[in-house]
Short mmCIF file of all heavy atoms in Angstrom, two decimals:
data_model
loop_
_atom_site.label_atom_id
_atom_site.label_comp_id
_atom_site.label_asym_id
_atom_site.label_seq_id
_atom_site.Cartn_x
_atom_site.Cartn_y
_atom_site.Cartn_z
N LEU A 11 100.66 68.49 92.33
CA LEU A 11 99.31 68.45 91.78
C LEU A 11 98.30 68.57 92.91
O LEU A 11 98.41 67.83 93.91
CB LEU A 11 99.05 67.16 91.04
CG LEU A 11 97.65 66.95 90.55
CD1 LEU A 11 97.20 68.02 89.46
CD2 LEU A 11 97.57 65.57 89.89
N VAL A 12 97.38 69.48 92.80
CA VAL A 12 96.37 69.70 93.89
C VAL A 12 95.05 70.06 93.24
O VAL A 12 95.04 70.66 92.09
CB VAL A 12 96.81 70.87 94.79
CG1 VAL A 12 96.92 72.17 94.10
CG2 VAL A 12 95.93 70.94 96.03
N GLN A 13 93.95 69.60 93.92
CA GLN A 13 92.66 69.96 93.37
C GLN A 13 92.25 71.39 93.65
O GLN A 13 92.75 71.99 94.53
CB GLN A 13 91.63 68.96 94.00
CG GLN A 13 91.79 67.55 93.64
CD GLN A 13 90.64 66.68 94.16
OE1 GLN A 13 89.92 67.02 95.11
NE2 GLN A 13 90.49 65.52 93.62
N PRO A 14 91.32 71.93 92.84
CA PRO A 14 90.86 73.23 93.10
C PRO A 14 90.32 73.36 94.52
O PRO A 14 89.64 72.50 95.00
CB PRO A 14 89.74 73.44 92.01
CG PRO A 14 90.12 72.51 90.95
CD PRO A 14 90.87 71.38 91.55
N GLY A 15 90.67 74.50 95.16
CA GLY A 15 90.28 74.65 96.52
C GLY A 15 91.34 74.18 97.54
O GLY A 15 91.21 74.44 98.72
N GLY A 16 92.28 73.46 97.05
CA GLY A 16 93.26 72.90 97.89
C GLY A 16 94.40 73.82 98.26
O GLY A 16 94.38 75.00 97.89
N SER A 17 95.44 73.33 99.03
CA SER A 17 96.48 74.20 99.49
C SER A 17 97.88 73.52 99.20
O SER A 17 97.96 72.32 99.14
CB SER A 17 96.37 74.40 101.03
OG SER A 17 95.19 75.10 101.33
N ARG A 67 94.50 84.90 99.58
CA ARG A 67 94.64 83.39 99.46
C ARG A 67 96.08 82.98 99.68
O ARG A 67 96.30 81.86 100.26
CB ARG A 67 94.27 83.03 98.00
CG ARG A 67 92.83 83.35 97.61
CD ARG A 67 92.47 82.73 96.31
NE ARG A 67 93.22 83.16 95.20
CZ ARG A 67 93.96 82.46 94.42
NH1 ARG A 67 93.97 81.13 94.54
NH2 ARG A 67 94.66 82.98 93.34
N ASN A 84 96.53 78.95 99.54
CA ASN A 84 95.26 78.32 99.90
C ASN A 84 94.23 78.72 98.77
O ASN A 84 94.42 79.58 97.96
CB ASN A 84 94.71 78.89 101.22
CG ASN A 84 95.69 78.55 102.36
OD1 ASN A 84 96.36 77.52 102.33
ND2 ASN A 84 95.74 79.43 103.36
N SER A 85 93.10 77.99 98.81
CA SER A 85 91.99 78.17 97.87
C SER A 85 92.52 78.26 96.39
O SER A 85 92.19 79.18 95.72
CB SER A 85 91.27 79.46 98.26
OG SER A 85 90.77 79.44 99.56
N LEU A 86 93.34 77.34 96.11
CA LEU A 86 93.92 77.31 94.76
C LEU A 86 93.01 77.12 93.65
O LEU A 86 91.92 76.45 93.84
CB LEU A 86 95.01 76.21 94.67
CG LEU A 86 96.32 76.64 95.40
CD1 LEU A 86 97.18 75.38 95.74
CD2 LEU A 86 97.15 77.57 94.58
N LYS A 87 93.25 77.86 92.60
CA LYS A 87 92.35 77.80 91.35
C LYS A 87 93.13 77.28 90.15
O LYS A 87 94.34 77.38 90.13
CB LYS A 87 91.88 79.26 91.06
CG LYS A 87 91.17 80.00 92.20
CD LYS A 87 90.96 81.37 91.83
CE LYS A 87 90.29 82.15 92.98
NZ LYS A 87 90.04 83.58 92.63
N PRO A 88 92.45 76.73 89.19
CA PRO A 88 93.21 76.30 87.96
C PRO A 88 94.10 77.35 87.40
O PRO A 88 95.13 77.03 86.85
CB PRO A 88 92.05 75.86 87.06
CG PRO A 88 90.93 75.50 87.98
CD PRO A 88 91.03 76.48 89.15
N GLU A 89 93.70 78.55 87.48
CA GLU A 89 94.49 79.69 86.84
C GLU A 89 95.81 79.92 87.66
O GLU A 89 96.61 80.71 87.29
CB GLU A 89 93.67 80.96 86.72
CG GLU A 89 92.96 81.40 88.00
CD GLU A 89 91.54 80.98 88.04
OE1 GLU A 89 91.23 79.74 87.69
OE2 GLU A 89 90.67 81.78 88.34
N ASP A 90 95.96 79.28 88.79
CA ASP A 90 97.22 79.36 89.57
C ASP A 90 98.25 78.41 89.07
O ASP A 90 99.37 78.46 89.44
CB ASP A 90 96.97 79.07 91.04
CG ASP A 90 96.14 80.10 91.71
OD1 ASP A 90 96.33 81.31 91.40
OD2 ASP A 90 95.27 79.79 92.54
N THR A 91 97.88 77.58 88.09
CA THR A 91 98.78 76.61 87.55
C THR A 91 100.01 77.27 86.74
O THR A 91 99.77 78.12 85.94
CB THR A 91 98.10 75.62 86.54
OG1 THR A 91 97.15 74.92 87.27
CG2 THR A 91 99.05 74.77 85.80
N THR A 123 100.37 72.51 89.72
CA THR A 123 99.28 72.20 88.82
C THR A 123 98.01 72.08 89.70
O THR A 123 97.97 71.19 90.60
CB THR A 123 99.52 70.87 88.08
OG1 THR A 123 100.80 70.95 87.38
CG2 THR A 123 98.39 70.57 87.10
N VAL A 124 97.06 72.89 89.34
CA VAL A 124 95.75 72.83 90.02
C VAL A 124 94.66 72.29 89.02
O VAL A 124 94.34 72.99 88.07
CB VAL A 124 95.29 74.25 90.54
CG1 VAL A 124 94.08 74.16 91.37
CG2 VAL A 124 96.44 74.93 91.32
N SER A 125 94.27 71.15 89.30
CA SER A 125 93.38 70.44 88.46
C SER A 125 92.59 69.34 89.14
O SER A 125 93.06 68.65 90.04
CB SER A 125 94.17 69.80 87.27
OG SER A 125 93.33 69.08 86.42
N SER A 126 91.37 69.14 88.68
CA SER A 126 90.55 68.05 89.20
C SER A 126 90.73 66.78 88.37
O SER A 126 90.09 65.74 88.72
CB SER A 126 89.05 68.41 89.33
OG SER A 126 88.65 68.85 88.06
#
Side-chain angles (χ1 to χ4, degrees):
L11 173 64
V12 63
Q13 292 187 342
S17 298
R67 300 188 298 122
N84 299 329
S85 302
L86 283 161
K87 305 175 182 180
E89 51 264 43
D90 294 319
T91 295
T123 303
V124 184
S125 175
S126 55

